């Protein structure tokens, strides 16, 4: 018997969207969860079939249904190959949000989500306190103990990257640039965990943008775009954070918003979807989303690439391989820009992975919720990297960065992972920054 309390007649998704699927099956063999399990219900086609059956009232969302939806990585590879243009991300986010309101959640999940999503991610102070506590746990060896005692989930905790010293965990605080042409200005969005865990990437991004002739400014208070909320069944929280993000960057309406986190950029480009029933916010969301641009696509435009090229010296990172973050290639359709940037470094040796668009298993918090699946996907990526002969794995997303770094550390590999901004910043000639 179902333990769910869904209101009779209420569908989790918009039925019409599920009708776009023509059941061709082209998505099956590119779907990582189908590859892992061989189960139709763990494939895009199977998941859409289940959602449609639920929307038509033919099935109830029981635990099998919930498992089929929760196991999806939202990597969006199915959208890249689908000939029918199925809006899989939209359906899955709606479905998880609907499930979230009808399924009984354990107290631990409720507490973690209320604190993590409701209080930590939306607040710089909250993030700073949480990362400070994690730092203390790492110094005291508690994360190592957890990784031993708690099995697979503990291993995910133990594989989190070391929290940098406090001196490195500082926001950029770039004041408004001196008045000048708006075409040479940009907002650099710092993100929520980026200033704490990857402050060096934000600094490298600002340095490289400056070398390309861009005057960056940052927002003193803004933190989270809401991507994790949307992907994990909290569309109400995602809308709140989308509104605060739009407001934060609304004052200078023609200046692009550059983001060096592919997952956040992909989500912010889709803000209008969150407000389809709210004409006022839909208009504001459209205006904001049209200004969002990934760091790599912004820099690869000729008017910035040409000045940047004149500042680049030899690569400091050995042989490079770019691994496409899912939300850059599948989510935003950005594929050539990072390769153009790497190829512009004099003498850089760049090799291709055999399957650079396969998911590394990070997928937001998926690596913590489903560590076995995540590890299996990462193992294949590590083998691909090994075969490529690259010394540096290059990424453009913090979740992938942590996933790769954890995998390379566990494998005692001499290879390193760097954000593309770090690779470019290290290649700048000394007088360039
Ligand atoms: S988003 Fe990724 S994991 Fe989910 S169904 Fe599509 S391909 Fe499979
Ligand atoms: S590729 Fe698209 S249309 Fe074909 S089965 Fe998959 S989701 Fe449906």
């Amino acid at each position: 018997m179902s333990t769910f309390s869904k209101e009779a007649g209420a569908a989790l998704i918009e039925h019409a969207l599920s009708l776009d699927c023509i059941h061709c099956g082209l998505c099956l063999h590119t779907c990582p969860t189908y590859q892992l399990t061989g189960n139709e219900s763990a494939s895009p086609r199977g998941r859409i079939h289940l959602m449609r059956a639920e929307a038509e009232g033919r099935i109830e969302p029981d635990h099998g249904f919930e498992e089929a939806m929760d196991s999806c990585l939202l990597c969006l590879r199915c959208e890249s190959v689908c000939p029918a243009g199925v809006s899989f991300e939209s359906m899955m986010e709606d479905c998880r949000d609907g499930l979230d309101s009808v399924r009984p959640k354990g107290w631990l999940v409720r507490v973690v989500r209320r604190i993590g999503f409701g209080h930590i991610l939306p607040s710089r102070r909250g993030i700073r306190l949480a990362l400070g506590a994690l730092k203390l746990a790492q110094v005291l060896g508690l994360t190592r103990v957890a990784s031993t005692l708690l099995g697979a989930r503990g291993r995910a905790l133990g594989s989190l990257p070391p929290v940098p010293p406090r001196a490195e965990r500082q926001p950029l605080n770039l004041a408004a640039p001196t008045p000048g042409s708006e075409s040479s200005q940009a907002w650099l969005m710092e993100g929520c965990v980026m200033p704490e865990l990857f402050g060096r990437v934000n600094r490298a991004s600002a340095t490289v943008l400056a070398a390309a002739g861009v005057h960056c400014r940052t927002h003193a208070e803004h933190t989270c775009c809401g991507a994790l909320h949307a992907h994990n069944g909290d569309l109400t929280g995602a809308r709140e954070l989308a509104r605060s993000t739009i407001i934060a960057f609304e004052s200078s309406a023609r200046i692009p918003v550059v983001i060096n986190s592919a997952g956040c950029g992909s989500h912010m480009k889709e803000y209008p979807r969150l407000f389809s029933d709210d004409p006022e916010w839909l208009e504001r969301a459209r205006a904001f989303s049209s200004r969002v641009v990934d760091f790599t696509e912004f820099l690869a435009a000729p008017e910035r690439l040409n000045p940047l090229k004149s500042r680049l010296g030899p690569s400091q990172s050995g042989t490079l391989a770019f691994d496409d973050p899912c939300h850059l290639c599948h989510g935003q359709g950005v594929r050539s820009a990072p390769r153009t940037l790497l190829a512009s470094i004099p003498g850089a040796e760049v090799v291709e992975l055999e399957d650079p668009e396969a998911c590394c298993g990070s997928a937001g918090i998926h690596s913590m919720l489903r560590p076995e699946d995540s590890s299996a996907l990462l193992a294949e990526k590590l083998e691909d990297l090994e075969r490529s002969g690259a010394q540096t794995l290059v990424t453009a997303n913090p979740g992938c960065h942590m996933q790769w770094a954890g995998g390379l550390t566990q494998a005692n590999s001499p290879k390193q992972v760097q954000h593309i901004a770090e690779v470019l910043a290290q290649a700048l000639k000394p007088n360039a920054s």
Side-chain angles (χ1 to χ4, degrees), residues 20-28 44-46 48 78 81-86 88:
D20 289 341
C21 176
I22 55 174
H23 318 298
C24 66
L26 285 175
C27 53
L28 293 194
R45 183 175 67 182
I48 294 168
C78 46
V81 298
C82 177
V86 163
F88 189 83

Side-chain angles (χ1 to χ4, degrees), residues 68-151:
M69 303 309 150
D70 281 353
S71 62
C72 172
L73 296 143
L74 265 174
C75 68
L76 307 184
R77 197 167 194 182
C78 46
E79 288 198 355
S80 279
V81 298
C82 177
V86 163
S87 304
F88 189 83
E89 183 179 31
S90 177
M91 276 190 281
M92 183 55 77
E93 286 182 355
D94 285 349
C95 183
R96 284 184 175 171
D97 184 60
L99 270 177
D100 213 52
S101 60
V102 298
R103 62 181 165 183
K105 292 183 282 288
W107 68 268
L108 184 60
V109 174
R110 285 204 307 273
V111 168
V112 168
R113 285 189 41 168
R114 181 166 298 178
I115 294 175
F117 284 9
H119 297 287
I120 294 178
L121 287 176
S123 150
R124 283 213 168 168
R125 187 160 175 272
I127 294 168
R128 175 149 282 221
L129 286 173
L131 270 293
L134 177 61
K135 173 81 179 164
L136 185 63
Q138 288 177 336
V139 170
L140 295 175
L142 299 179
T143 48
R144 269 202 312 280
V145 174
S147 79
T148 309
L149 293 180
L150 297 178

Side-chain angles (χ1 to χ4, degrees), residues 98-403:
L99 270 177
D100 213 52
S101 60
V102 298
R103 62 181 165 183
K105 292 183 282 288
W107 68 268
L108 184 60
V109 174
R110 285 204 307 273
V111 168
V112 168
R113 285 189 41 168
R114 181 166 298 178
I115 294 175
F117 284 9
H119 297 287
I120 294 178
L121 287 176
S123 150
R124 283 213 168 168
R125 187 160 175 272
I127 294 168
R128 175 149 282 221
L129 286 173
L131 270 293
L134 177 61
K135 173 81 179 164
L136 185 63
Q138 288 177 336
V139 170
L140 295 175
L142 299 179
T143 48
R144 269 202 312 280
V145 174
S147 79
T148 309
L149 293 180
L150 297 178
R153 286 194 181 187
R155 274 202 299 284
L157 186 64
S159 68
L160 285 171
V163 177
R166 195 172 177 103
E168 284 185 37
R169 291 160 41 214
Q170 300 294 337
L172 285 169
N173 278 332
L174 295 176
T178 48
S181 161
E182 284 191 346
S183 64
S184 66
Q185 295 179 21
W187 285 104
L188 176 58
M189 190 182 276
E190 291 192 86
C192 49
V193 297
M194 286 289 286
E196 295 291 320
L197 288 178
F198 292 106
R200 67 179 192 275
V201 172
N202 281 346
R203 285 191 289 281
S205 301
T207 301
V208 174
L209 286 165
V214 180
H215 302 282
C216 284
R217 65 174 83 171
T218 57
H219 196 285
E221 295 302 326
H222 178 261
T223 59
C224 182
C225 67
L228 282 177
H229 300 67
H231 281 183
N232 291 282
D234 181 9
L235 286 179
T236 303
R239 284 190 190 94
E240 272 176 32
L241 287 168
R243 285 191 195 96
S244 64
T245 302
I246 292 167
I247 290 168
F249 296 96
E250 212 164 30
S251 61
S252 40
R254 286 200 295 274
I255 297 179
V257 180
V258 179
I259 179 81
N260 57 15
S261 163
C264 305
S266 177
H267 177 63
M268 291 190 296
K269 286 180 178 180
E270 295 289 332
Y271 270 177
R273 227 177 48 214
L274 293 172
F275 300 107
S276 54
D277 296 330
D278 183 339
E280 187 211 327
W281 278 98
L282 177 61
E283 206 45 51
R284 293 169 78 173
R286 280 190 182 132
F288 172 80
S289 295
S290 68
R291 295 160 54 208
V292 175
V293 57
D294 183 73
F295 174 79
T296 60
E297 63 179 330
F298 186 67
L299 267 183
E303 63 270 31
R304 289 174 279 277
L305 183 60
N306 290 334
L308 177 64
K309 268 170 142 175
S310 69
R311 304 288 197 96
L312 290 172
S315 169
Q316 307 294 311
S317 304
T319 308
L320 308 165
F322 185 73
D323 185 50
D324 298 78
C326 296
H327 284 87
L328 192 60
C329 61
H330 308 307
Q332 302 182 57
V334 175
R335 292 177 168 86
S336 62
R339 291 172 172 82
T340 300
L341 291 171
L342 293 181
S344 69
I345 302 174
E349 193 183 342
V350 185
V351 294
E352 281 289 334
L353 298 177
E354 285 168 19
D355 195 0
E357 295 193 9
C359 181
C360 66
S362 168
I365 55 173
H366 196 90
S367 56
M368 292 185 190
L369 300 176
R370 292 174 177 265
E372 288 94 352
D373 291 358
S374 173
S375 297
L377 295 171
L378 179 61
E380 289 182 23
K381 300 290 289 188
L382 288 166
E383 284 172 21
D384 196 352
L385 177 63
E386 196 58 44
R387 284 191 298 274
S388 76
Q391 291 153 307
T392 298
L393 187 285
V394 186
T395 185
N397 188 55
C400 311
H401 201 143
M402 286 192 268
Q403 176 83 338

